[in-house]
Structures are given as C-alpha cells and as structure tokens.
Amino acid sequence: LEPIKDEQPRWLAQVTDGSGVAILRDVPTGTYPVTAWLPSANRSAKGEVTVTAGALAEVTLQLQPSP
C-alpha cells in the first residue's frame, strides 16, 4: 500500500488556553502560514512557522486591531 497523495489545502484549528497557548500535534513537516484572531475584540495576527521532524516549532503572534 502507498499513502494517498493529497494536494488539497488543509486547515488545522486550535483554541488557545487561558494564557494564549495552542498546541498542535502530528503536523507534517513543512512551512505553514499561521493566522490567529479574536473575533470578540476584532483583533488578528498572521505569521509563519516551519515544522521539522522531531523538533518543537514555535510561533509568537501579537494580536492587532483587524483592518
């Protein structure tokens, strides 16, 4: 058997804890855009994170008023 090769974009979503931290596990290696938003305060932020095998990938975003 061979793995299915899927070229469709994938979305991963996670709600942060009380301190604003979100943990996503088993993310395939690669570079990903990251978007965070707080709809109730009309704030958002964008960034990028690179995931490598066996390593912790971190990204810190500062929410700003949304345009």
Side-chain angles (χ1 to χ4, degrees):
L1 296 174
E2 290 188 19
I4 297 172
K5 300 216 174 179
D6 182 356
E7 299 299 322
Q8 294 296 318
R10 296 177 188 247
W11 292 86
L12 300 173
Q14 181 68 26
V15 175
T16 62
D17 64 14
S19 63
V21 174
I23 298 174
L24 287 80
R25 299 186 190 283
D26 302 321
V27 176
T29 58
T31 299
Y32 297 92
V34 178
T35 301
W37 71 95
L38 180 60
S40 63
N42 196 31
R43 293 180 169 273
S44 62
K46 292 187 179 197
E48 186 174 89
V49 65
T50 299
V51 176
T52 56
L56 175 66
E58 293 185 58
V59 61
T60 300
L61 301 174
Q62 184 68 39
L63 295 175
Q64 302 292 327
S66 296

